[in-house]
Each structure stands twice: as C-alpha cells, then as structure tokens.
Amino acid sequence: MAMAALREASRRLASRMEYPAAPAARPLLLTYSRGITYRLFIGGLSQFATEDSLAEAFSQYGQVLEATIITDKMTNRPKGFGFVKFASEEEANKAREEMNGKARFLKQCT
C-alpha cells in the first residue's frame, strides 16, 4: 500500500513539473531505480554469529540482499541483534513466520 501511495505522489509531482528529456530525472524512475527492500529485525544472536552465517541462515526463505550485525563502537563486539534485508515482501514475511520465536544458534562459519 505504501508503494501505491509513493507512485501516486510521484505521478502528481511529475504532472505539475516539466522534466528534461532524460528519463532518469523523473521522480518515479528514481524511486524505481532505488528499489524497495524489506528489513527484518533479528534479536537474540549468538556472540559468534557473523554476517555471512546470518545471511546463510535466512537465504533458504528468499534472496537476502544484506545481513548486518550491530556491534558496539567501543569494543567492536556484537550487541546480539542485527537486520536482514530481503528483495520482496513475500520472502520477508515467509522468513519472519518460519524463524519467529525459534532458538537458532548462528555459529561462526569456519
């Protein structure tokens, strides 16, 4: 629903303004080229979890664009949570439904 509202706002803006011939200058195309990703918060991660192991664990549910583990700036140690970005809403929802509440210990890949 948010995507439809964004497209409608871009269309209204495009109809009010004149753009050069370059198609990349239109807001609708800029929005499309940036793309929309769906981020899941992942809590309760092991201190030995890596971004690669996190991406590997969630890749069975769809295309993982990015896996990030948040670290403490002073000690550079993991804080125990992170984020996984998926390409589509369906993949993100499937991963959320399957992994929600499950005790998974993501260990460092060796």
Side-chain angles (χ1 to χ4, degrees):
M1 186 162 21
M3 183 68 170
L6 186 59
R7 285 183 185 147
E8 182 59 32
S10 294
R11 285 187 191 116
R12 277 191 250 141
L13 181 62
S15 66
R16 291 183 192 163
M17 305 176 90
E18 291 186 23
Y19 291 97
R26 294 185 178 190
L28 180 63
L29 293 177
L30 287 175
T31 302
Y32 178 74
S33 67
R34 282 191 313 214
I36 292 181
T37 58
Y38 298 90
R39 245 169 82 160
L40 293 180
F41 170 82
I42 312 300
L45 292 176
S46 165
Q47 66 178 352
F48 301 109
T50 64
E51 292 178 349
D52 291 335
S53 64
L54 185 61
E56 183 181 329
F58 281 87
S59 65
Q60 63 184 332
Y61 302 108
Q63 181 185 6
V64 174
L65 299 178
E66 181 183 11
T68 306
I69 295 178
I70 306 304
T71 57
D72 185 279
K73 291 182 181 180
M74 299 297 279
T75 63
N76 205 30
R77 295 173 68 189
K79 289 187 172 185
F81 66 95
F83 298 93
V84 176
K85 285 185 185 179
F86 285 93
S88 74
E89 185 176 11
E90 293 82 22
E91 293 171 346
N93 286 334
K94 182 178 177 184
R96 181 179 46 86
E97 289 168 4
E98 295 289 327
M99 297 287 274
N100 192 19
K102 291 190 178 180
R104 302 256 181 175
F105 301 100
L106 302 174
K107 297 186 178 178
Q108 187 173 8
C109 297
T110 55

